[in-house]
Amino acid sequence: MDTPNKCGLNSNQIKCIAIIAMTIDHITWLLFPGCQKIWWVMGLHVIGRLTAPIMWFFIAEGFYYTKNVKKYILRLFIFAIISHFAYNFAGGIPFIPNGIFNMTSVMWSLAWSVVLMVIFTTEYLQQWVKIILMIVICLITFPSDWSTIAAMCPVFLYLHRGGF
């Protein structure tokens, strides 16, 4: 019996692509700080931009497949707290936020995106309450690295899962 030839990547291979893309982007920022107008430097940053949609996809998939959403959220928030100090140390940012832009890592927004998924999938909340909670979470995630987009995109991917 012939088995079908499966083309594609598994989740670990996709995660490796995201890690490599992110590493390329971070090294490019380190070697060429600021916004460089050199075409190949911009190209390296474009490669790094692959990371965000991959991470959003895996946050949505993690929510779909998790057996315990509370533990999933807790792990993300613990990692957000740990990565806050690493992010601020690497960026020369004070550990106590004193501004509004890029004051913590992207993990903060990604953790809140799972909270948003819980809010949007519960049947016990009225629509207006969900909208107010969404606005509050957008304000909470605004100071993070990818801002509110990192909180909203995984929710969108989850709510439209399977509807390519």
Side-chain angles (χ1 to χ4, degrees):
M1 179 175 181
D2 290 332
T3 58
N5 186 8
K6 261 188 137 173
C7 279
L9 301 170
N10 65 33
S11 64
N12 286 332
Q13 292 167 329
I14 296 171
K15 288 174 190 174
C16 284
I17 290 170
I19 291 168
I20 291 167
M22 182 172 46
T23 303
I24 289 170
D25 191 44
H26 288 188
I27 289 173
T28 305
W29 279 115
L30 182 67
L31 297 177
F32 304 98
C35 291
Q36 301 286 326
K37 301 281 192 242
I38 305 167
W39 70 269
W40 58 272
V41 173
M42 293 172 71
L44 292 172
H45 286 305
V46 168
I47 291 170
R49 298 307 176 258
L50 291 171
T51 305
I54 293 172
M55 294 299 175
W56 299 334
F57 170 76
F58 279 111
I59 289 292
E61 288 295 293
F63 178 73
Y64 180 78
Y65 285 108
T66 189
K67 291 183 173 110
N68 189 332
V69 73
K70 289 178 184 176
K71 283 185 180 179
Y72 184 50
I73 292 171
L74 179 65
R75 282 192 308 269
L76 287 171
F77 275 113
I78 288 171
F79 192 63
I81 291 167
I82 293 168
S83 66
H84 169 76
F85 294 103
Y87 177 83
N88 287 6
F89 178 75
I93 302 169
F95 292 131
I96 307 296
N98 61 0
I100 46 174
F101 293 111
N102 292 339
M103 296 322 278
T104 192
S105 75
V106 67
M107 287 305 300
W108 179 249
S109 291
L110 294 177
W112 279 105
S113 73
V114 179
V115 174
L116 272 174
M117 286 182 232
V118 170
I119 290 168
F120 276 98
T121 57
T122 186
E123 297 173 1
Y124 302 112
L125 295 174
Q126 293 180 358
Q127 191 66 28
W128 68 271
V129 175
K130 292 179 183 183
I131 291 170
I132 289 175
L133 289 172
M134 177 190 65
I135 292 169
V136 168
I137 290 174
C138 283
L139 292 172
I140 290 170
T141 59
F142 186 76
S144 71
D145 188 20
W146 290 345
S147 194
T148 58
I149 191 106
M152 297 303 293
C153 283
V155 176
F156 180 83
L157 290 173
Y158 176 76
L159 293 176
H160 299 309
R161 187 176 189 280
F164 185 71

